[in-house]
Amino acid sequence: MVVGEIIHEKDVVIIGAGPAGYEAAFRAAKNGRDVTLIDRFRPGGECLHSGCIPSKLLATAARKMHEKTPGITVTPAFCMDKWQKEKNSLITTMERGLQARFHSSNIECVKGQASFLSENRIGAEQGEKFEVWSFNHVILATGSRPITPNFLSSSSHPNIFPLEHLYTLSSLPNQLILFGSDYLTIEAASTFRALGVEVTIVTDQETILPEWDESIQRESIRQFKKQKVSLYTGVSGCLVKEREKTLVFCNAKGENVEVETEIIVYSIGRVGNSDSLRMDQVGIDIKDDGTIPTSEECKTASANIYACGDLTGGPFLAVKGIKQGKTAADHCCGVKSAFSLECLPKVIHTQTPISSVGLTEIEAKEAGYEVMTASSSMKANGYAMVTGNTEGKVVIHRDRENHVLLGFHAIGAGAVELIEKATLAIEMGARDEDFIYPYTPHPGYGEAWTDAIESTVEIKVETKVGQ
């Protein structure tokens, strides 16, 4: 520190302006705290600029291309360059909305690279300028970055990059290989195939979406077969012939396979962005994957330092980061608050949307429940018939003994919207009767939930004496 340097005294300093960070800032400001938010980029983080918003916007465009409405005939055309312009305009609008909220909440926003100088001071580089803040509490929300597969670690080919960069392309490729099995991979594969790209998924995992319910895995694979997406699971020995733009690997049967492509993207996991924070200055250990251990209150090993979002490890979901940001802000403001991964909803905006909350069938059995499983096909749903969205199904798991609902899993139209009802139900410890008794709008996608749950109910008919 330079002699005579001004130190800004601040109540709460938040590093990282993605969903976890900005929600923490809003909550802390609402609780009456004086807040400074520091980020090296722009408000919104990867979620707004390269992740959630761009990917969902493109998925929506792809879905519109194939919408069917009785009596209407259209010939849709898609232009990636035009989409990019509209995407950038939308992002700018949403970013301005965040900035307006920061201003109205009296949150100071600083652009710079922040790191710890001591146990109670943070410095931020802002080009040629350097500022220092003292603080009462710090909330870390610096996010994460993608892991590069070992076989690509030495590659510098311009057409090999992390999956998020797909949404910056100015034109669609003719061929695309996605290396991965997670929700980002599945969503991108579905979107780009719907836009006419020849798509191949390659993964060293035994299946796609390995952490999801088996019913969702099977249906997702079936959907990809219908879309003519090539899928190779359980592969090994991957390498790239860069000049030929060819990915070479050994498939699950031990056969050598070569797939030509224009672009290779990957999504196999993430590491926390903690390397520039200088956590050694505050005595906090960092895991090998760059993440920081936290308590259920999102506290780190240091009493006045909190962490939230991707920096705390997986699952790497904005919905998790938002909840953790609010939890951290509340707790450092003296409000009782805790975070749990239970009842965390997951959604994938594939062309046939996917959602999940609660236990998978395997998890429920491992937990000791006597599981009853039932499903309802969207082909039997009246509203799905009306809208022409009859692909997919709803799957529920409940305990046979106490009738408590354990898990909801859906693939099909309405899945993303209906998961809110399921999340609330599991959070409240709902039983099957809590879904069966209330009215369900007709026609509506929600009837699929009711049909699935009703099929698990064992009806007992009372017989009167003398009959």
Side-chain angles (χ1 to χ4, degrees):
M1 183 180 71
V2 179
V3 176
E5 183 176 278
I6 297 176
I7 301 176
H8 306 283
E9 294 184 0
K10 212 67 175 180
D11 196 1
V12 178
V13 175
I14 299 170
I15 304 177
Y22 66 66
E23 288 293 348
F26 291 137
R27 182 59 63 90
K30 184 179 180 180
N31 288 336
R33 306 295 288 272
D34 188 19
V35 180
T36 290
L37 180 63
I38 307 174
D39 193 281
R40 61 186 177 184
F41 186 52
R42 294 156 58 188
E46 286 199 17
C47 177
L48 175 58
H49 297 281
S50 61
C52 303
I53 299 305
S55 64
K56 306 308 174 282
L57 187 64
L58 191 60
T60 299
R63 191 172 297 116
K64 293 289 186 182
M65 291 278 291
H66 299 277
E67 279 189 349
K68 295 179 180 179
T69 304
I72 297 178
T73 302
V74 296
T75 304
F78 177 78
C79 175
M80 192 71 170
D81 186 55
K82 183 180 178 182
W83 177 86
Q84 286 291 355
K85 293 176 182 177
E86 295 182 4
K87 179 202 76 173
N88 292 333
S89 176
L90 175 63
I91 289 174
T92 298
T93 299
M94 295 180 72
E95 185 180 351
R96 287 174 180 168
L98 281 174
Q99 291 170 336
R101 288 186 65 190
F102 293 145
H103 180 73
S104 64
S105 301
N106 294 318
I107 296 170
E108 178 189 29
C109 295
V110 177
K111 184 176 182 179
Q113 177 69 57
S115 61
F116 287 100
L117 302 177
S118 67
E119 292 184 352
N120 63 353
R121 289 183 182 179
I122 281 176
E125 295 183 10
Q126 306 168 63
E128 296 180 357
K129 185 179 178 182
F130 187 83
E131 291 189 90
V132 177
W133 286 264
S134 64
F135 57 83
N136 291 322
H137 292 96
V138 166
I139 300 175
L140 304 175
T142 51
S144 64
R145 61 187 183 277
I147 296 172
T148 303
N150 290 333
F151 72 93
L152 294 175
S153 58
S154 60
S155 176
S156 58
H157 198 284
N159 287 339
I160 300 176
F161 44 77
L163 185 146
E164 289 88 342
H165 292 186
L166 273 178
Y167 303 104
T168 65
L169 298 176
S170 59
S171 61
L172 290 173
N174 292 313
Q175 300 161 315
L176 170 65
I177 290 179
L178 298 115
F179 188 84
S181 62
D182 62 0
Y183 78 96
L184 298 172
T185 303
I186 303 312
E187 183 178 275
S190 179
T191 295
F192 279 84
R193 182 68 191 114
L195 292 172
V197 178
E198 184 179 322
V199 175
T200 300
I201 300 174
V202 181
T203 176
D204 53 9
Q205 300 292 311
E206 296 304 314
T207 185
I208 56 174
L209 302 176
E211 297 179 355
W212 289 61
D213 197 78
E214 286 189 352
S215 61
I216 298 299
Q217 295 173 18
R218 291 192 299 268
E219 183 63 19
S220 296
I221 291 172
R222 191 182 76 83
Q223 291 295 328
F224 277 142
K225 286 182 179 178
K226 288 192 65 174
Q227 281 189 284
K228 296 183 179 179
V229 172
S230 299
L231 175 61
Y232 296 91
T233 59
V235 308
S236 59
C238 291
L239 61 90
V240 178
K241 292 182 179 179
E242 292 191 8
R243 290 184 180 179
E244 292 83 1
K245 296 182 182 178
T246 300
L247 180 65
V248 181
F249 53 87
C250 183
N251 67 16
K253 297 179 180 179
E255 303 165 336
N256 288 326
V257 179
E258 296 188 7
V259 181
E260 294 184 3
T261 187
E262 290 184 21
I263 292 175
I264 298 175
V265 300
Y266 52 86
S267 181
I268 62 167
R270 306 183 71 84
V271 294
N273 290 328
S274 58
D275 46 351
S276 63
L277 290 172
R278 298 185 66 194
M279 300 303 295
D280 57 304
Q281 295 292 316
V282 289
I284 295 176
D285 293 329
I286 299 173
K287 294 181 180 180
D288 292 340
D289 62 358
T291 60
I292 298 175
T294 57
S295 68
E296 63 179 6
E297 297 89 4
C298 296
K299 292 179 64 175
T300 67
S302 181
N304 62 338
I305 299 176
Y306 294 74
C308 54
D310 286 3
L311 191 59
T312 66
F316 299 101
L317 301 171
V319 63
K320 181 199 111 179
I322 289 170
K323 185 66 173 179
Q324 284 184 314
K326 293 177 179 179
T327 298
D330 276 342
H331 197 270
C332 79
C333 293
V335 179
K336 289 185 178 180
S337 185
F339 169 79
S340 172
L341 286 174
E342 293 183 13
C343 305
L344 180 71
K346 300 181 294 184
V347 300
I348 310 178
H349 289 258
T350 37
Q351 295 305 291
T352 306
I354 304 173
S355 66
S356 175
V357 66
L359 301 178
T360 66
E361 184 174 10
I362 292 176
E363 289 171 340
K365 289 179 179 178
E366 289 177 346
Y369 292 103
E370 186 179 355
V371 182
M372 292 190 70
T373 296
S375 65
S376 177
S377 172
M378 296 306 288
K379 290 180 180 179
N381 181 271
Y383 194 62
M385 294 282 287
V386 169
T387 59
N389 296 306
T390 57
E391 293 292 337
K393 61 182 177 179
V394 167
V395 178
I396 67 101
H397 307 305
R398 75 163 175 86
D399 181 53
R400 179 183 294 273
E401 182 178 352
N402 59 25
H403 294 234
V404 170
L405 303 172
L406 304 172
F408 289 78
H409 313 278
I411 178 168
V416 173
E417 293 75 20
L418 290 174
I419 202 64
E420 293 186 19
K421 178 179 178 181
T423 302
L424 180 62
I426 293 181
E427 178 72 34
M428 297 179 67
R431 293 155 51 92
D432 51 16
E433 62 187 16
D434 296 313
F435 267 80
I436 295 171
Y437 179 76
Y439 288 103
T440 302
H442 174 81
Y445 294 129
E447 290 178 293
W449 289 120
T450 306
D451 291 343
I453 293 171
E454 284 187 340
S455 66
T456 70
V457 178
E458 298 166 339
I459 300 176
K460 296 181 180 179
V461 180
E462 294 184 2
T463 303
K464 295 182 180 180
V465 176
Q467 288 185 340

